[in-house]
């Protein structure tokens, strides 16, 4: 029988998969997808919490996080398109004009 | 619902909508749109000050307003007004959305300082990040700017995901996201059984906040964004949002986890030392003034974190005072950088400035001396208060590290002065007369000396607001 801790474990694993993706992927689109994965893994925790407690708050919070995630991706894709126009690439290794 | 406690924010929201409409009707009339924005901000400031002593909770317990939050508001308002003044001379032609983003970031910062619900804090934090993104990327055709805004976006989104995870785990532990309820529950139940989970949540929340105040290990964006973004925007980022970040740190750690300082106190102490040292040592080898000020802002975040560790009444006031005086120092320095232009921000461009434009060189020297923290300037007094509060709570080793860092920082701040006064120019830079940039410079100098010579009055006002 699945318990809340299993949900938590899966979402923690997914969260860190996403985090590693952001850190080590070199393509901007993959990075944006990994960010989305991080946010949605947080939703999974809340889903588990909503299932195993008689509490409706987590469901509200999920909707809220979904909206924020949508905004985040919209802004990110806009920036990516702008970068594409200016630099003609989405490979983050080539963004070297500011030596970071 | 008690909507009137957020009257200043409501006024600012209406102004923001108005600015968009004005921009639609009369496009690219920079000074007109800017003036409307300033009028809206002044009106909001007036209401903010007239309600200074009113305290209350509203919006379903998500917002709590008191005099202390309003002192933080003052820092945000000053930053926004100075940024608008700088923008009049700096930008030749930009769209009115610039002012819209100033207003939304102002609203977000004010809400950050006032919200007592973790989700409210998260939403304001996101609003703040995206508004700042709009300000950084306003000249989006430039290669540097496009890259700087992308870097800021990636790290903002990354760190806010950690912050969100921290909030959700806090909810799992306490079944609430309200900070005062968390404090009550923690006080009642103690740490038995939940200590490991709490440490995880504190660390996750801290990651999100460290990004906002540019503390280690989430400082990597600062140098790049500072170099790429327009100079006035950089001044704004290093003043207001940083103060908002510290307001949140105070709120979550000191109000929420008040009864158990062992959860966060030592983390902050190490963070403060690392941030101070990293910022100051990295600044030593840079030869670009904007980049150098980026490292210096990291170091200053370290000094303020020292006050966070000591966590008493005086430390609260010291943080507000520090951010106030830092706002003036950084706006002064960046007003001069704006006069010379972003493409002339290398140290060599400042060589011999004392001969070509003596007033600018003298002012720049004052700002650098104040950033170093030499007496009679506000930089000294603000550092003095921070270290005083640390010494009173027996964090002597933090004070010692602070003084060592002050000595290191003198090298790179005074190197600018050396370049201006003792080197010869390679090429003559003709600096046009910018009325607005100069007025910001004079305002900054006046306040640096006012806060430096007569700090008592301002400090007492802040203390009485606690």
């Amino acid at each position: 029988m699945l318990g809340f801790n299993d949900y938590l474990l899966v979402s923690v694993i997914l969260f860190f998969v996403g985090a590693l993706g952001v850190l080590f992927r070199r393509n901007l689109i993959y990075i944006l997808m990994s960010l989305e994965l991080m946010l949605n893994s947080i939703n999974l925790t809340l889903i588990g919490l909503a299932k195993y407690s008689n509490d409706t708050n987590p469901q509200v919070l999920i909707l809220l996080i979904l909206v924020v995630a949508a905004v985040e991706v919209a802004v990110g894709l806009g920036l990516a398109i702008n970068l594409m126009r200016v630099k003609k690439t989405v490979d983050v290794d080539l963004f070297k004009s500011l030596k970071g | 619902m008690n909507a009137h406690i957020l009257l200043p924010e409501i006024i600012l929201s209406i102004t923001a909508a108005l600015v968009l409409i004005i921009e639609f009707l009369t496009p690219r009339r920079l000074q007109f749109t800017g003036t409307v924005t300033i009028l809206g901000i002044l009106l909001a400031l007036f209401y903010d000050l007239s309600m200074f002593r009113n305290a209350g909770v509203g919006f379903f317990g998500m917002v709590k307003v008191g005099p202390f939050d309003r002192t933080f508001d003052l820092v945000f308002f000053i930053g926004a007004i100075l940024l608008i003044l700088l923008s009049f001379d700096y930008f030749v032609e930009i769209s009115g959305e610039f002012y819209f983003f100033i207003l939304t970031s102002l609203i977000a910062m004010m809400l950050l300082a006032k919200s007592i619900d973790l989700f409210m804090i998260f939403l304001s934090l996101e609003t703040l990040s995206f508004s700042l993104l709009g300000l950084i990327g306003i000249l989006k055709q430039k290669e540097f700017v496009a890259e700087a805004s992308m870097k800021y976006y990636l790290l903002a989104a990354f760190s806010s995901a950690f912050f969100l995870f921290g909030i959700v785990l806090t909810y799992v532990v306490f079944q609430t996201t309200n900070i005062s309820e968390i404090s009550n529950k923690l006080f009642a139940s103690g740490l038995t059984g939940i200590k490991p989970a709490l440490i995880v949540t504190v660390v996750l929340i801290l990651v999100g906040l460290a990004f906002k105040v540019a503390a280690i290990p989430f400082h990597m964006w600062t140098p790049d964004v500072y170099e790429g973004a327009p100079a006035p925007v950089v001044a704004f980022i290093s003043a207001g949002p940083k103060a908002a970040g510290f307001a949140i740190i105070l709120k979550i750690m000191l109000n929420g986890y008040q009864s158990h300082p062992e959860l966060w106190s030592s983390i902050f102490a190490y963070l403060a030392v690392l941030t101070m040292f990293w910022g100051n040592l990295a600044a030593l080898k840079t030869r670009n003034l904007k980049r150098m000020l980026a490292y210096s802002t990291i170091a200053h975040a370290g000094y303020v974190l020292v006050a966070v560790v000591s966590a008493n009444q005086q430390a609260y006031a010291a943080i507000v005072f520090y951010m106030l005086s830092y706002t003036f120092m950084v706006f002064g320095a960046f007003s001069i950088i704006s006069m010379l232009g972003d493409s002339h921000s290398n140290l060599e461009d400042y060589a011999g400035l004392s001969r070509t434009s003596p007033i600018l060189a003298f002012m720049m020297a004052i700002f650098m001396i104040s950033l170093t923290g030499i007496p009679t300037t506000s930089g000294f007094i603000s550092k003095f208060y921070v270290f005083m509060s640390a010494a009173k709570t027996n964090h002597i080793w933090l004070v010692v590290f602070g003084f060592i860092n002050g000595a290191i920082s003198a090298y790179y701040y005074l190197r600018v002065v050396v370049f201006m006064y003792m080197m010869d120019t390679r090429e003559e830079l003709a600096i046009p007369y910018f009325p607005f940039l100069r007025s910001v410079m004079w305002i900054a100098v006046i306040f640096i000396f006012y806060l430096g010579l007569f700090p008592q009055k301002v400090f007492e006002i802040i203390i009485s607001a606690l």
Side-chain angles (χ1 to χ4, degrees):
Chain A
M1 192 52 198
L2 282 175
F4 171 66
N5 286 342
D6 301 305
Y7 277 82
L8 192 63
L9 185 68
V10 173
S11 65
V12 167
I13 291 170
L14 275 181
F15 185 83
F16 281 100
V17 168
L20 290 177
V22 173
L23 291 176
F24 295 113
R25 278 287 180 173
R26 299 279 60 128
N27 187 312
L28 254 184
I29 306 300
Y30 280 116
I31 293 180
L32 290 178
M33 282 164 65
S34 309
L35 277 175
E36 195 73 347
L37 187 62
M38 288 169 80
L39 288 175
N40 282 322
S41 73
I42 298 170
N43 276 342
L44 196 60
T45 315
L46 286 173
I47 290 171
L49 196 63
K51 193 176 171 194
Y52 290 99
S53 67
N54 293 323
D55 189 0
T56 45
N57 273 354
Q59 301 183 19
V60 180
L61 297 182
I62 289 169
L63 285 179
L64 200 138
I65 293 174
L66 279 180
V67 172
V68 170
V71 171
E72 216 159 42
V73 168
V75 173
L77 284 177
L79 283 173
I81 289 171
N82 183 40
L83 257 182
M84 260 306 262
R85 285 204 187 122
V86 177
K87 305 200 81 143
K88 313 275 181 270
T89 173
V90 284
D91 187 345
V92 279
D93 276 341
L94 300 174
F95 299 165
K96 283 282 156 66
S97 45
L98 295 168
K99 34 205 176 304
Chain B
M1 202 164 96
N2 241 345
H4 70 274
I5 56 170
L6 287 188
L7 195 59
E9 284 84 352
I10 292 169
I11 293 173
L12 288 175
S13 318
I14 294 170
T15 318
L18 206 65
V19 162
L20 281 187
I21 295 170
I22 291 173
E23 167 67 13
F24 179 67
L25 294 177
T26 58
R28 299 192 176 243
R29 297 258 310 275
L30 201 70
Q31 299 218 343
F32 178 61
T33 327
T35 315
V36 172
T37 315
I38 286 193
L39 286 179
I41 290 178
L42 287 180
L43 190 66
L45 181 62
F46 170 74
Y47 276 108
D48 210 35
L49 291 179
S50 68
M51 305 196 305
F52 194 74
R53 298 271 159 213
N54 291 12
V57 182
F59 289 90
F60 310 103
M62 288 205 163
V63 176
K64 184 174 155 222
V65 185
F68 184 63
D69 315 307
R70 298 211 191 274
T71 52
F72 264 112
D73 282 355
L74 213 59
V75 180
F76 308 146
F77 275 118
I78 291 169
I81 291 174
L82 290 180
L83 170 61
I84 294 170
L85 288 178
L86 285 181
S87 75
F88 284 159
D89 274 335
Y90 181 84
F91 295 108
V92 185
E93 193 178 76
I94 49 163
S95 52
E97 281 109 52
F98 187 72
Y99 298 108
F100 174 76
F101 285 130
I102 294 177
L103 285 168
T104 47
S105 59
L106 186 58
I107 297 165
M109 288 189 291
M110 290 167 70
L111 284 178
L112 265 182
K114 287 170 189 158
S115 45
I116 50 166
D117 191 283
L118 287 173
F119 258 94
M120 184 73 191
I121 292 174
F122 171 70
L123 281 184
S124 324
L125 213 61
E126 290 290 280
T127 317
L128 181 59
S129 298
F130 292 139
S131 314
L132 291 180
L133 206 54
L135 292 177
I136 293 169
I138 196 76
L139 303 168
K140 63 178 193 293
Q141 291 86 359
K142 288 192 179 173
E143 199 182 325
F144 279 176
V145 174
E147 215 179 295
S149 51
M150 193 70 211
K151 275 188 179 146
Y152 186 82
Y153 165 79
L154 283 180
L155 274 166
F158 188 60
S159 66
S160 71
F162 277 94
F163 187 71
L164 186 61
F165 204 29
I167 293 174
V168 168
L169 287 184
T170 315
Y171 187 84
V172 171
V173 176
F174 291 110
Q175 268 81 49
T176 175
T177 49
N178 190 300
I179 292 179
S180 43
E181 279 178 36
I182 289 175
S183 171
N184 290 340
K185 285 194 178 175
L186 196 60
F187 191 70
S189 69
L191 283 180
T192 39
I194 51 171
K195 196 176 178 191
L198 273 188
I199 289 178
V200 171
T201 59
V202 166
V203 169
L204 285 172
I205 288 176
L206 205 68
V207 168
L209 296 177
F211 167 78
K212 268 281 157 300
V213 300
I216 282 197
F218 279 83
H219 58 278
M220 296 90 82
W221 60 278
T222 6
D224 291 340
V225 170
Y226 273 48
E227 203 182 341
V233 175
V234 176
F236 183 67
I237 296 176
S238 52
K242 192 171 251 196
F246 281 116
I248 289 304
I249 288 183
L250 291 180
K251 193 146 282 174
I252 296 181
M253 299 304 156
L254 301 190
N255 293 352
Y257 297 123
Q258 198 174 22
S259 46
H260 297 280
E262 69 269 23
L263 279 176
W264 45 268
S265 183
S266 54
I267 302 178
F268 274 110
Y270 293 123
L271 213 61
V273 172
L274 280 177
T275 309
M276 281 193 287
F277 269 104
W278 196 87
N280 279 323
L281 293 177
L284 288 179
K285 65 177 173 31
T286 48
R287 299 187 74 76
N288 180 308
L289 207 59
K290 279 173 92 183
R291 231 179 150 77
M292 186 200 94
L293 282 171
Y295 292 122
S296 111
T297 205
I298 297 173
H300 281 277
Y303 300 139
V304 182
L305 282 174
V306 170
V308 174
V309 176
S310 43
N312 52 5
Q313 289 247 310
Q314 213 195 356
Y316 274 56
I319 291 172
V320 178
F321 190 88
Y322 202 106
M323 291 323 295
L324 194 64
S325 85
Y326 186 68
T327 305
F328 288 116
M329 292 190 275
V330 80
F331 265 99
F334 275 103
S335 71
I336 292 175
I337 292 177
S338 310
M339 283 185 218
L340 272 83
D342 276 340
S343 46
H344 296 284
S345 57
N346 284 321
L347 269 180
E348 285 75 21
D349 296 314
Y350 286 76
L353 196 68
S354 63
R355 272 174 289 277
T356 50
S357 33
I359 296 178
L360 293 191
F362 186 64
M363 292 298 163
M364 194 64 170
I366 290 176
F367 297 136
M368 289 299 138
I369 284 170
S370 184
L371 282 167
T372 321
I374 288 172
T376 74
T377 58
S378 67
F380 168 74
I381 297 290
S382 46
K383 269 203 189 109
F384 174 75
Y385 281 141
V386 164
F387 292 146
M388 263 278 274
S389 66
K392 271 192 182 160
T393 48
N394 288 323
H395 291 95
I396 304 295
W397 61 285
L398 279 177
V399 180
V400 171
F401 279 127
F403 278 119
I404 294 172
N405 272 286
I408 299 172
S409 71
Y411 172 75
Y412 60 85
Y413 288 130
L414 297 182
R415 188 169 58 184
V416 179
V417 181
V418 168
F419 262 87
M420 288 190 304
Y421 278 89
M422 293 168 195
M423 302 275 186
D424 282 326
T425 33
R426 281 189 313 191
E427 50 177 331
E428 291 279 316
L429 263 179
I431 301 168
Y433 184 81
F434 293 115
F436 287 110
L437 294 183
R438 284 202 182 229
S439 60
V440 170
M441 180 182 84
W442 285 109
I443 291 171
V445 165
I446 289 167
F447 274 97
I448 282 175
F449 280 114
Y450 176 72
L451 293 177
L453 295 173
F454 313 103
Q456 210 58 42
K457 198 154 181 288
V458 180
F459 200 71
E460 269 164 19
I461 292 174
I462 299 173
I463 284 268
S464 73
L466 285 175

